[in-house]
Amino acid sequence: MSIDYDEAFARSRDVPAFSNGTEGETWMANWCSRCLRDAPFRNGLVKTGCPLVLISLMQRTPAEWLDGPRDEHGRYSMADQYHCIEFRAPGDGGGEPRPRPEPPDMDGLFPRPARQIRMYVQPGPVRELEVSAR
């Protein structure tokens, strides 16, 4: 697990992630129960699981959990309330993403961009454009 608990706790918001246990269990069943990052803990291979789950149990919301889609009234699906940016689905290969290697004996067509730091910022609401009648 590449996530450090202390750093993730410092970034987290001091707001409970879920309003009740049903909401938390529904979300975790949809995301955490199939995430490759937490699979060693679920299979009993390691003693500690995902620190983001522990932070949510401490009545905080991890910064890595971005708000999921909502309708025009602000309602959301419990299973999709947040989108975890650390989630790794089965078949994704797990771990950190790696760029494809250059073909042997060939230079790349374009220079590769430098790795960037993930920003833990909640995107703002999108406003509709005002169209004036002519």
Side-chain angles (χ1 to χ4, degrees):
M1 175 80 37
S2 64
I3 306 166
D4 180 58
Y5 172 80
D6 293 325
E7 291 175 10
F9 187 84
R11 283 192 305 266
S12 67
R13 292 173 279 172
D14 192 17
V15 177
F18 306 108
S19 62
N20 58 48
T22 301
E23 205 174 80
E25 286 294 324
T26 303
W27 187 84
M28 288 182 197
N30 186 45
W31 287 82
C32 304
S33 67
R34 57 191 186 98
C35 180
L36 291 178
R37 290 190 182 272
D38 202 39
F41 175 71
R42 288 192 314 269
N43 295 325
L45 301 174
V46 296
K47 293 184 180 183
T48 58
C50 179
L52 302 179
V53 173
L54 182 57
I55 289 169
S56 72
L57 296 174
M58 302 294 291
Q59 300 298 312
R60 297 180 68 88
T61 304
E64 291 83 357
W65 293 0
L66 303 179
D67 283 337
R70 300 183 189 273
D71 68 7
E72 63 273 3
H73 303 291
R75 294 178 296 207
Y76 54 85
S77 164
M78 283 193 290
D80 212 22
Q81 181 176 357
Y82 299 107
H83 283 207
C84 180
I85 62 174
E86 294 294 332
F87 175 76
R88 297 294 179 263
D92 279 351
E96 293 299 317
R98 290 182 292 254
R100 286 187 173 165
E102 301 292 348
D105 301 325
M106 294 181 75
D107 291 331
L109 184 58
F110 300 104
R112 293 191 182 262
R115 283 197 64 125
Q116 304 215 355
I117 298 174
R118 289 184 176 171
M119 301 302 292
Y120 300 106
V121 177
Q122 189 70 26
V126 177
R127 290 186 253 162
E128 293 183 28
L129 296 175
E130 295 180 19
V131 179
S132 60
R134 292 185 185 202

